[in-house]
Amino acid sequence: MNYAEAIFLGIVQGLTEFLPISSSAHLRIASGLLGHDAGAAFTAIIQIGTEAAVLLYFWRDIWRILTRWCRTVVCDAQGEGRLSCADDDVRLGWMIIVGSLPIGILGLALEDWIDSTFRNLWVTVVMLIAFALLLGLADRYGSTRRNLAHMTWRDAVTYGFAQALALIPGVSRSGGTIMAGRFMGYDRVSAARYSFLLAMPAVFASGLYKAAKALTGVNEAGWGPTLVATAVSFGVGYAVIVWFLRLVETKTFTPFVIYRIALAIAVGILLIIGVLEPLGGTVA
């Protein structure tokens, strides 16, 4: 992979990570159009860039949740005692941990499938359409009466399994969790914010795990292009977070539903006429 391709893929990652349209699907399609599949390791590593953007944007919330959660485990130096698990920030911290378990367990169990079978573009086409319809239904019929203060343990587990579906390109990490949140009655902003926070442990763990494996093996994309793409995805991703959270305050997810279906049709046509290969790049 050359640096121009890396910058292009970094922009694609940054633009699509936080929108309910599947960044992994876009990276898989984009790298296929470039003539080769960048690989699951490249995808996982450059996602660290976009999650670093989440860390920067939500740093006050993250720091508050983290410090208050830690005080339930270790007494502070001033002897103030421990905070109750009923504290909203402490409870949210535990729920993010619980919600991260499904994708961690399934990610390890299905690693070989994630690196091979799930990257078939026909699978991506089906997932783009199926979860477009589910997202549309959830957004149309889900109520908006709940926010993060109303979250239950059952909701946290449901969010976790919804996020785990994003192991399949085409589902979308944000799309799956936002869809679940809307079905459970959370308003759009709350569903989006929790989606961003929930993704952090899983994405950082996955990216660092893939990076460690690549250090002892082969990084097909090359470390220089991979790091450039990661940096680009950070900058673009931060801008998208700001825009998206403002958008969902007043708009529905319908444009994303339409886009997902249109993209699936376009990729399906390219596969049928032979421009794209299901498990490779473009046809020579």
Side-chain angles (χ1 to χ4, degrees), residues 14 44-45 83 93 114 126 136 153 200 270 277:
I45 293 169
L83 289 170
I114 294 167
V126 172
W153 291 105
M200 289 188 62
L270 292 176
E277 292 181 334

Side-chain angles (χ1 to χ4, degrees), residues 23-232:
S23 63
S24 59
H26 280 75
L27 285 175
R28 176 67 186 87
I29 295 164
S31 59
L33 290 172
L34 291 174
H36 53 81
D37 183 358
F42 175 84
T43 300
I45 293 169
I46 71 169
Q47 285 177 339
I48 294 176
T50 43
E51 290 311 310
V54 175
L55 186 62
L56 178 62
Y57 186 85
F58 290 107
W59 74 267
R60 289 187 179 86
D61 292 340
I62 294 168
W63 180 252
R64 188 184 66 250
I65 292 169
L66 183 61
T67 53
R68 294 175 76 86
W69 179 84
C70 287
R71 287 175 60 191
T72 68
V73 180
V74 180
C75 293
D76 63 46
Q78 296 179 350
E80 294 178 359
R82 304 175 185 223
L83 289 170
S84 168
C85 284
D87 178 89
D88 286 344
D89 290 324
V90 173
R91 189 166 55 88
L92 188 58
W94 279 113
M95 287 181 173
I96 289 173
I97 293 173
V98 170
S100 298
L101 293 177
I103 195 170
I105 295 170
L106 292 173
L108 290 173
L110 301 174
E111 183 177 5
D112 290 341
W113 285 50
I114 294 167
D115 292 344
S116 56
T117 306
F118 288 170
R119 297 185 68 78
N120 188 309
L121 280 174
W122 280 117
V123 174
T124 300
V125 168
V126 172
M127 293 298 102
L128 282 170
I129 294 175
F131 280 84
L133 298 176
L134 288 172
L135 177 62
L137 288 172
D139 196 41
R140 181 176 180 84
Y141 297 107
S143 68
T144 57
R145 55 187 172 80
R146 306 177 70 189
N147 56 42
L148 297 186
H150 300 116
M151 187 176 294
T152 66
W153 291 105
R154 183 179 65 180
D155 294 346
V157 173
T158 301
Y159 266 119
F161 278 101
Q163 179 180 235
L165 292 172
L167 293 169
I168 307 173
V171 173
S172 171
R173 189 188 314 274
S174 62
T177 50
I178 289 172
M179 173 203 71
R182 294 293 293 117
F183 269 129
M184 292 186 289
Y186 288 88
D187 63 74
R188 295 184 183 96
V189 174
S190 295
R193 288 177 68 89
Y194 188 69
S195 173
F196 295 166
L197 294 173
L198 180 62
M200 289 188 62
V203 172
F204 275 116
S206 173
L208 294 174
Y209 172 71
K210 289 291 188 181
K213 289 191 67 175
L215 284 172
T216 58
V218 178
N219 178 10
E220 295 179 358
W223 279 107
T226 299
L227 293 176
V228 168
T230 302
V232 171

